[in-house]
Amino acid sequence: MTLTELRYIVAVARERHFGRAAEACFVSQPTLSVAIKKLEEELDVKIFERGANEVTMTPLGEDIVRQAQSVIEQASAIKDIAKRGKDPLDGPLRLGIIYTIGPYLLPELVKHCIELYPRMPLMLQENFTTKLLDMLRTGELDCAIMAEPFPDAGLALAPLYDEPFVVAVPASHALAKRERISAEELKAETMLLLGNGHCFRDHVLEVCPEFARFSTDAEGIRKSFEGSSLETIKHMVASGMGVTVVPALSVPAQVPDHLRYIPFEAPAPTRRVVLAWRRTFTRYEAVAALRNAVYACKLDRVTLLS
């Protein structure tokens, strides 16, 4: 067996689809399928059950894929050790980041990384928390910036900052002139939410749990609407369709005339943003450098954590 074959079965296990796995591995589907069939014949076991619409792992296949992930990670660690012996800040750092942080942190973070660590370019991947956790486990990412809480994946964590939430309302709204708003007052409003998969959606529903019921039945469209991104939802708010809750870093320096951002009454709801990486990742100096680059950013609306 080869590392390439092991990467193929890990990709199929993650995507549950041969075509998407082939795209992720940058090979043709026949190439990937033949390699996996060869591996199954060599091991004399069936790793995958091929269904009409989805591929599933056999019970034995689950154990094989788990071990394959570990082998791939260990093989990658050998390269990392070699790099570390030369210069841990020399070479790309594969960074994942969730959608509700990326647009507001990355522009300045990338700029500081280029200035401070010119030989350590960031290879960026924006995605949902669950996807980033999978990519960390399989070694496709070195580290990720995410918001707690998320499932314990045995990762090392370094807290970065606590970020308060604020309420976005149309400038013409009755609440627009308020200095502070309570979560209780939002119960009477039409709430605009991010779609399923966004962890920030869950954070908002923790603040306003009464809106959870509207996101799961047809009647809910009268009371809550879903958007694909925070910026899309902000435009919906500006057009008078409702109100929303956003993280403080997403508030622009110059607020458009048609929007108002209002803080919550104390204690304001917040989220904790952390940097996560595999405990076996050997370039710890690169992780520390990335954290320093985050601290070099101008983050006035958050509380930095040492």
Side-chain angles (χ1 to χ4, degrees):
M1 71 183 71
T2 66
L3 282 174
T4 298
E5 291 168 348
L6 297 183
R7 291 191 181 97
Y8 288 169
I9 64 171
V10 168
V12 173
R14 183 181 65 247
E15 301 292 342
R16 297 190 179 276
H17 190 276
F18 277 80
R20 291 194 298 270
E23 289 178 9
C25 295
F26 303 103
V27 296
S28 67
Q29 184 171 335
T31 298
L32 179 136
S33 298
V34 168
I36 291 178
K37 185 171 179 57
K38 175 177 171 289
L39 180 59
E40 288 180 321
E41 290 174 351
E42 179 184 342
L43 298 175
D44 195 23
V45 297
K46 199 170 187 179
I47 300 173
F48 299 107
E49 296 283 356
R50 281 82 164 168
N53 299 316
E54 188 178 65
V55 177
T56 58
M57 287 181 284
T58 64
L60 194 57
E62 290 182 2
D63 292 337
I64 291 172
V65 168
R66 192 178 302 113
Q67 186 63 35
Q69 290 173 336
S70 177
V71 171
I72 291 168
E73 184 177 325
Q74 292 301 318
S76 178
I78 293 173
K79 294 181 181 179
D80 290 338
I81 290 169
K83 287 179 182 177
R84 188 178 184 181
K86 300 173 184 176
D87 184 352
L89 303 184
D90 187 2
L93 185 69
R94 299 170 296 175
L95 171 66
I97 193 164
I98 58 175
Y99 291 116
T100 57
I101 296 177
Y104 317 111
L105 178 63
L106 281 181
E108 194 173 358
L109 176 60
V110 171
K111 175 186 172 185
H112 283 303
C113 280
I114 291 173
E115 292 174 350
L116 297 170
Y117 316 110
R119 298 196 311 278
M120 189 184 77
L122 296 180
M123 299 177 65
L124 302 170
Q125 168 72 236
E126 265 190 304
N127 221 309
F128 298 114
T129 299
T130 53
K131 181 71 171 177
L132 296 180
L133 288 172
D134 284 341
M135 296 180 78
L136 279 171
R137 277 193 291 265
T138 59
E140 294 173 80
L141 290 175
D142 299 322
C143 52
I145 295 175
M146 301 178 289
E148 290 185 317
F150 48 79
D152 181 12
L155 299 170
L157 300 178
L160 295 175
Y161 55 82
D162 286 338
E163 181 178 21
F165 302 159
V166 298
V167 182
V169 303
S172 58
H173 197 282
L175 295 172
K177 298 188 186 318
R178 294 285 300 278
E179 294 280 333
R180 303 272 172 177
I181 293 179
S182 68
E184 186 73 18
E185 291 175 282
L186 297 180
K187 289 183 179 180
E189 303 298 328
T190 298
M191 178 67 73
L192 309 184
L193 300 169
L194 284 170
N196 282 319
H198 290 277
C199 61
F200 189 72
R201 168 198 177 90
D202 301 327
H203 296 158
V204 173
L205 291 178
E206 286 179 13
V207 178
C208 310
E210 59 278 357
F211 289 103
R213 68 185 187 276
F214 296 122
S215 61
T216 56
D217 59 49
E219 292 297 316
I221 197 67
R222 300 177 187 172
K223 189 69 179 177
S224 71
F225 301 84
E226 296 182 356
S228 59
S229 73
L230 286 177
E231 297 309 310
T232 298
I233 287 180
K234 288 179 187 178
H235 286 297
M236 294 167 70
V237 170
S239 67
M241 293 182 65
V243 304
T244 195
V245 175
V246 300
L249 283 184
S250 75
V251 177
Q254 294 185 331
V255 178
D257 293 338
H258 43 267
L259 272 176
R260 295 290 183 273
Y261 293 97
I262 308 167
F264 276 95
E265 291 181 352
T270 63
R271 67 174 177 179
R272 174 155 293 183
V273 174
V274 301
L275 179 60
W277 66 96
R278 294 185 309 284
R279 295 184 186 278
T280 54
F281 184 55
T282 58
R283 293 174 63 199
Y284 177 75
E285 294 87 348
V287 173
L290 179 66
R291 193 180 186 198
N292 290 336
V294 171
Y295 289 155
C297 296
K298 188 178 180 183
L299 304 173
D300 294 336
R301 297 186 179 94
V302 306
T303 302
L304 293 176
L305 302 171
S306 59

